[in-house]
Amino acid sequence: MDYEIIIGFETHVELKTKTKLFCGCAVEDGAPPNTHICPVCTGQPGALPVLNKRAVEHTIRAGVAMNCTINRRSRFARKNYFYPDLPKGYQISQYERPFCENGYLEIQNDEGRPYAVGIKRIHLEEDAGKLVHSASSFEASDYSLVDYNRSSVPLLEIVTDHERNPLRSVNEARTYLEKLRQTLIYIGISDCSIEKGQFRCDVNISIRPEGALDYGNRAEIKNMASFKFIMEALEYEVKRQLKILHSGKEPSQETRLFHEGKKITVSMRSKEDAPDYRYFPDPDLVEFEIDQEFVEQIQEGMPELPDQKVNRIIKDYRISRKDALILTKDRDVSEFFERCAAFCDDRVRLSSWMIKDLFKLLNEAAVTIENCPVPPKEFSTLITLISKGDITDQIARTVLGIMFETGEDPESIITRRGLKPIQDEERLERVLNEVMSENPEAVKKIKEGMTNPIDFLIGQVMKKTEGKANPKKVKDLIHKKLSPPKQS
Ligand SMILES: [Zn+2]
């Protein structure tokens, strides 16, 4: 029997706002504990929430980017549970009528075709505080402290739709997460830093016989931040659930925990123990209406989305789709490319040098493109020098290495270090004559019409000139001197 995998995500994303969702406390990562708190975000009796307009704007922007219906009438609900990092005893979230519903995010599916992954809803809620344990784990700790700086920081929750174009493999799950993160960064509503916990997922997975109408029982794995661990957990779950199904049994509906060291998931709680949050509309935040004008303003001011950018870059700069996809993966990289392209006509060479050579230097030095020591204008100058045949690829690589280390401009590096190519034909001919007399065998073969030894001779000339000969000129000279007599 064939089986069908269905994977769903509830992704929590910390929004980029100056202040918290319901009070004026600053959102500041890494601030000393409990320095950004007030009666509202520490849940003091009688304190009243006031909604942050910017957070609503960000939420609607996400909804527009993911093709959602924007609910003009929306409201907040209380999700009731107790935890020490939640001083009110409830979280303000959305239940009925979230801001955005029924959208999609287009990815490339496993068959290489566009696939509109269903987005069921996007809603806005507040984050909880943070427990800081005295040891590395809760179990090993003598005590735990609570930091309320994160309490009430705005969070977006993006929920996929398991009925409408769900994710059907671990690979599609990865593609979806990457595209989602890329899109949110592009529209400027979150930095989505995985290290800082600004992008966290609850993942669920179920498997059913192909064509079955009922969904199988799902296993949910909560609060995952690392893409690597998410993929490992999903791969393990696919194997575990298939094994149960093959033995004629059914996996149970439960919440499971991923063990990072052992790379397995273990049962945490069953369906019966699932909490009942008793959602009800928050009486402190009445139902409200969003003006059409407000939504239109957001629609009009939408920045370019990743797919739009790929298509425009291909059209404007005539580079390959493959290169365009690599250059637009990161918004800062694409901006760097476009700044370079403004100074450089040879865009194909530019993209190839960025992807192969500049990325290599950045990776080796663990530097991001924002902090790239080579400014776009000077990188373009280097590419133009190669295009014009003023320097060889080999010299250009040396020059780029020095530019990266010292921040110097390419022309002064070339002059100062004597890297100017040899343009003088007489000098080139002298070197070539030397090489030819050292390699009579190769010369003989070229005269007989073989072409391979030509590259060999060029290589020898390059060696003698420390890469400063212009290979095209050397090739022309060889042809001039050695071309086999035309047969009539
Ligand atoms: Zn506050």
Side-chain angles (χ1 to χ4, degrees):
M1 196 191 298
D2 280 336
Y3 288 97
E4 192 183 4
I5 297 169
I6 294 172
I7 296 171
F9 282 102
E10 288 173 18
T11 309
H12 291 98
V13 176
E14 196 176 291
L15 290 179
K16 201 154 62 170
T17 53
K18 285 203 180 79
T19 55
K20 294 186 180 181
L21 188 51
F22 298 116
C23 61
C25 293
V27 175
E28 189 199 344
D29 190 68
N34 297 311
T35 48
H36 296 308
I37 56 172
C38 74
V40 176
C41 57
T42 52
Q44 306 300 310
L48 287 173
V50 178
L51 181 61
N52 181 334
K53 188 177 173 189
R54 181 54 60 86
V56 177
E57 203 180 302
H58 282 351
T59 307
I60 293 173
R61 191 167 283 134
V64 172
M66 281 177 259
N67 314 287
C68 291
T69 306
I70 309 297
N71 285 331
R72 299 263 308 283
R73 287 165 65 116
S74 188
R75 69 177 172 203
F76 284 94
R78 291 186 179 179
K79 179 181 180 182
N80 299 282
Y81 67 94
F82 172 77
Y83 205 69
D85 62 7
L86 189 75
K88 291 197 295 287
Y90 60 86
Q91 176 194 25
I92 304 179
S93 180
Q94 294 193 286
Y95 191 62
E96 307 154 288
R97 284 210 290 282
F99 283 110
C100 322
E101 282 182 294
N102 299 326
Y104 64 85
L105 182 68
E106 193 174 288
I107 64 163
Q108 200 177 49
N109 69 10
D110 286 349
E111 291 83 47
R113 278 194 284 275
Y115 184 70
V117 179
I119 302 290
K120 194 177 174 62
R121 55 187 277 146
I122 300 176
H123 73 243
L124 183 57
E125 62 185 26
E126 58 178 346
D127 207 346
K130 206 192 261 178
L131 288 185
V132 185
H133 306 303
S134 69
S136 61
S137 73
F138 174 71
E139 290 78 16
S141 299
D142 294 330
Y143 61 89
S144 297
L145 300 167
V146 195
D147 176 7
Y148 288 120
N149 279 350
R150 203 179 67 182
S151 172
S152 210
V153 164
L155 277 188
L156 204 63
E157 181 171 321
I158 303 134
V159 184
T160 55
D161 194 334
H162 64 281
E163 290 181 348
R164 209 160 33 89
N165 283 2
L167 299 159
R168 304 159 305 171
S169 71
V170 177
N171 187 49
E172 280 183 4
R174 184 204 318 268
T175 312
Y176 164 77
L177 280 188
E178 283 171 355
K179 186 66 175 284
L180 176 63
R181 184 165 175 272
Q182 183 194 30
T183 303
L184 297 171
I185 294 173
Y186 260 71
I187 61 175
I189 66 168
S190 173
D191 291 332
C192 294
S193 159
I194 290 163
E195 294 75 31
K196 290 180 186 163
Q198 294 170 345
F199 191 94
R200 322 191 285 264
C201 303
D202 297 344
V203 197
N204 60 69
I205 171 166
S206 65
I207 303 183
R208 63 176 173 184
E210 184 106 49
L213 291 176
D214 286 343
Y215 292 93
N217 280 336
R218 353 182 277 185
E220 190 175 32
I221 311 152
K222 291 229 176 240
N223 217 4
M224 307 274 289
S226 144
F227 279 25
K228 183 170 164 269
F229 291 155
I230 294 172
M231 298 313 140
E232 285 171 352
L234 284 174
E235 265 155 24
Y236 176 81
E237 269 304 300
V238 170
K239 278 192 212 133
R240 187 187 70 86
Q241 294 190 20
L242 278 178
K243 203 171 153 195
I244 297 173
L245 287 164
H246 284 145
S247 73
K249 293 187 194 126
E250 213 183 321
S252 41
Q253 181 113 352
E254 59 187 352
T255 303
R256 298 180 69 86
L257 206 68
F258 180 62
H259 193 296
E260 293 167 7
K262 293 184 188 158
K263 315 229 170 287
I264 59 167
T265 66
V266 287
S267 183
M268 200 172 99
R269 63 168 182 243
S270 70
K271 190 183 172 184
E272 288 74 42
D273 303 329
D276 178 358
Y277 295 117
R278 306 250 164 179
Y279 283 95
F280 66 86
D282 192 310
D284 290 341
L285 290 151
V286 290
E287 182 173 320
F288 59 95
E289 268 192 64
I290 303 169
D291 296 345
Q292 182 60 27
E293 214 178 302
F294 184 65
V295 178
E296 277 166 12
Q297 267 172 14
I298 292 170
Q299 282 166 334
E300 279 159 23
M302 277 299 279
E304 198 173 33
L305 293 171
D307 290 345
Q308 294 169 334
K309 188 165 232 171
V310 170
N311 292 331
R312 182 179 58 75
I313 277 188
I314 294 171
K315 191 170 147 269
D316 286 0
Y317 305 112
R318 300 186 178 281
I319 61 170
S320 69
R321 174 163 289 270
K322 189 169 157 259
D323 282 5
L325 282 170
I326 298 172
L327 292 171
T328 50
K329 220 171 181 177
D330 182 311
R331 193 182 52 178
D332 295 330
V333 168
S334 68
E335 280 168 7
F336 188 93
F337 171 76
E338 292 206 76
R339 282 205 294 275
C340 292
F343 298 109
C344 175
D345 294 330
D346 192 351
R347 277 74 182 256
V348 173
R349 196 185 299 270
L350 172 68
S351 64
S352 143
W353 270 77
M354 242 185 100
I355 292 167
K356 288 197 195 98
D357 298 90
L358 190 61
F359 282 7
K360 184 165 169 265
L361 290 170
L362 289 166
N363 282 339
E364 281 168 2
V367 172
T368 60
I369 194 98
E370 298 154 88
N371 301 315
C372 179
V374 179
K377 189 163 189 270
E378 275 154 22
F379 189 64
S380 324
T381 307
L382 180 75
I383 305 304
T384 305
L385 288 171
I386 312 168
S387 301
K388 287 199 300 197
D390 285 354
I391 51 171
T392 61
D393 282 12
Q394 196 186 343
I395 290 182
R397 251 170 227 121
T398 310
V399 174
L400 181 60
I402 300 169
M403 287 166 76
F404 197 85
E405 252 173 53
T406 63
E408 249 179 297
D409 70 279
E411 273 146 336
S412 67
I413 293 171
I414 292 166
T415 315
R416 212 164 41 76
R417 310 223 174 187
L419 295 170
K420 266 219 157 66
I422 304 166
Q423 301 288 9
D424 175 4
E425 277 203 25
E426 268 178 41
R427 199 174 141 205
L428 279 184
E429 203 170 342
R430 271 204 306 280
V431 180
L432 179 61
N433 286 341
E434 244 176 75
V435 167
M436 278 166 40
S437 61
E438 284 161 18
N439 300 283
E441 205 42 38
V443 172
K444 193 170 150 240
K445 282 181 186 160
I446 296 169
K447 279 185 177 157
E448 285 164 11
M450 281 177 74
T451 50
N452 283 353
I454 296 180
D455 291 333
F456 170 75
L457 289 189
I458 296 172
Q460 294 302 305
V461 173
M462 297 306 279
K463 221 171 174 180
K464 273 191 193 283
T465 57
E466 291 167 324
K468 282 187 265 180
N470 179 333
K472 199 182 164 296
K473 276 199 172 150
V474 179
K475 195 172 186 176
D476 291 345
L477 271 176
I478 295 174
H479 275 292
K480 212 165 90 188
K481 287 166 113 43
L482 299 177
S483 57
K486 289 245 167 14
Q487 283 168 357
S488 52

